[in-house]
Amino acid sequence: MSSILHRLGRRIRYEYLRRFDNPTTLTTKMGIYRVPIGVDDPISRDLFLHGEFELDLINEAMELLRHLSKRPRGEGTILDIGANNGVISIGMLATGQLERAVAIEPEPVNFARMEENVRLNGFDNDILLKSCALSNRTADLELELSGSNYGDHRVRAERSPSDAKDIFKESE
């Protein structure tokens, strides 16, 4: 019963804080993060409400990779492309899954937030941050910014609705 009340209290607090659209600092199972609350950001929401973001999925994937590669827990580097605010890179190091990360994020606001989160967790020497976009070819491309999801920005060479199902209005 107290677990249900705790979750309900967190939900009420989250909905209250969203009205003010201020970033908030959270201590989670995956590290410390300064995240936006006033937007529909699923990563921030899950960190706030559950204290983690896809941690079970990360742990299962790493267990499989360790089994296949015969590498022990705590060794290795993650290449995090489209790192957003750094939750996956930081989370992998904070939970002891890996020892290093390369985090790539082209969007300036997300990149600045990721830099702050890396500092908050003391991983300045363990995570290499790069502010750029990656593509399979050399070209000048436009970075499309989602108005409702900070993790749904993208680079696309073709700007036609046939490129995606348009679930998040990518064609706009």
Side-chain angles (χ1 to χ4, degrees), residues 72-130:
R73 180 181 174 94
E75 282 188 8
T77 302
I78 182 174
L79 175 59
D80 190 358
I81 301 170
N84 193 302
N85 56 21
V87 169
I88 301 300
S89 295
I90 294 166
M92 293 292 237
L93 276 65
T95 59
Q97 291 287 358
L98 295 169
E99 61 187 334
R100 291 178 306 276
V102 176
I104 300 169
E105 174 57 49
E107 202 282 318
V109 173
N110 285 349
F111 187 81
R113 190 171 291 122
M114 180 172 60
E115 282 183 308
E116 181 178 13
N117 290 334
V118 166
R119 277 192 301 277
L120 285 170
N121 286 278
F123 292 137
D124 302 66
N125 296 321
D126 305 306
I127 300 178
L128 175 63
L129 304 175
K130 292 291 183 181

Side-chain angles (χ1 to χ4, degrees), residues 57-72:
L57 177 64
I58 291 167
N59 289 335
E60 288 175 25
M62 289 306 301
E63 188 175 318
L64 175 63
L65 289 171
R66 274 195 302 279
H67 174 73
L68 294 173
S69 69
K70 308 293 187 227
R71 296 189 71 141

